[in-house]
Amino acid sequence: KACEKNGIKPMFGMSFIAKDSSTNKEYNLCLLAQNDSGYRNLIELTTKINLSNDRKIDVTELNNFKADNFLFDINPSSDVQDIKDKTS
């Protein structure tokens, strides 16, 4: 209630591992919802990852979930440009 009183809105997001099946690289990513639509995409992505055998998602599938979300790499030493190229 203190947050609401001071105009602080909650931020919803998740971290997950995306794999590139063509190169066998893995990326530690974070997705933050920009709005209600982005939040729904987060829920769908969470479900897809939780139902997968390895608890990962292929980078080529990120297009289905990244709308209305901020996507960023949480490992500064990796090359997230590879992912941007595959999801554009």
Side-chain angles (χ1 to χ4, degrees):
K1 293 190 180 216
C3 289
E4 289 177 5
K5 181 180 175 183
N6 291 296
I8 298 172
K9 296 181 180 181
M11 182 179 286
F12 296 100
M14 65 179 288
S15 60
F16 59 96
I17 297 174
K19 62 184 176 183
D20 184 343
S21 54
S22 65
T23 64
N24 290 324
K25 287 185 180 180
E26 292 186 350
Y27 303 92
N28 292 313
L29 302 176
C30 185
L31 208 61
L32 296 176
Q34 294 180 3
N35 52 36
D36 289 341
S37 176
Y39 177 73
R40 286 190 295 277
N41 285 334
L42 283 176
I43 298 301
E44 289 179 30
L45 177 62
T46 301
T47 301
K48 179 151 186 77
I49 290 172
N50 285 330
L51 293 175
S52 71
N53 291 333
D54 60 359
R55 304 277 191 194
K56 299 173 186 171
I57 188 166
D58 196 278
V59 294
T60 58
E61 296 182 76
L62 287 177
N63 273 339
N64 300 328
F65 307 101
K66 70 178 189 175
D68 297 313
N69 287 300
F70 296 110
L71 174 67
F72 60 94
D73 189 354
I74 57 177
N75 181 0
S77 64
S78 70
D79 186 8
V80 77
Q81 186 61 42
D82 293 343
I83 296 170
K84 289 181 181 177
D85 293 341
K86 293 180 189 233
T87 61
S88 298

